[in-house]
Amino acid sequence: MAILYSGKCFLRHQTGDHPENPDRLAGIEQRLQRSGLGLICMHPTWGPASRERLLRVHAPLYVDWVRSFSEMGGGPLEPDTIVGRESYEVALLAAGAACDATERVLAGEDRQALCLVRPPGHHALVQEAMGFCIFNNVAVAAKLATDEAGLDRVLIVDWDIHHGNGTQATFWEDPRVGFLSIHRWPFFPGTGAADERGAGDALGTTVNLPIEHGTSRRQILAGFSAALESLAAKIRPQLIFISAGFDSHRLDPIGDLGLETEDFATMTEMVLGAAQAYAGGRVVSVLEGGYNPPVLADCIETHLATRISLGH
Ligand SMILES: [Zn+2]
């Protein structure tokens, strides 16, 4: 089993002619039903993230501004990030799904949760939308794990092709939350150099793995495995989050780091291995990028199937 968050609500975030659009997720539920995976998952109901939870990551004025801008009809929050009339509400449901998943996994309802949400979150900063992201879903959920559930060892693994700059900034000086990001380099958003390692008590709990385009799949996976193993041994996480972007797939129109669908099974196995070693197998993954809808569906199916077959 796994806990699966998906739904038509995420199609209401309308972005117009934009790569991050409802078509990314429109067919996924049907796809998971057809494959049988959807049938063996728990489908909980959940609500929007509370203001209190959002404000652990974002500034109140920013949250209010997104709300009023969206409700007035929307437009670009910044050149890359478009919102429509319902986007504020949908963004709260995306962050709310990540929070609900965290609570249920920590309560022992299941060890595996997957949040198929949009808008994505990992570029969102304290008071800035960025790179299709409005609120930082995974960061809001990780703050819940530390500040509400009292965990002091959490690990976020970000394998989206873009550096998770918003997540890194949130936990830069927080030794309770480790951050591992593997990403194409040089590439948007420009951060994520290997010498960015956190600060203060958290120095060394941020690990960046910049990868040049053209690097072989074997080298990418070997680098990921080694970095994950070493950071997990250092943090000994009680819970692992995955910022699960699939835009490093070879056929992604805006990413492409040459990975194949099966490589996401391999990376999933690696993270599950770390979770089984330290975290009682507990993994919450939250969708980030992936802009070729049929390929994204393949990757999500592979990721979920691996979680279900190996997660128990
Ligand atoms: Zn991305």
Side-chain angles (χ1 to χ4, degrees), residues 18 23-24 33 59 62 67 135 145 178 228 248 251 305:
H18 191 281
D23 288 348
R24 294 179 61 222
Q33 291 302 318
Y62 170 67
R67 178 183 192 158
F135 300 130
L228 173 65
S248 47
L251 298 175

Side-chain angles (χ1 to χ4, degrees), residues 285-304:
S285 55
V286 184
L287 180 65
E288 302 286 358
Y291 303 99
N292 178 333
V295 168
L296 177 61
D298 289 344
C299 291
I300 288 172
E301 200 176 335
T302 298
H303 177 57
L304 182 59

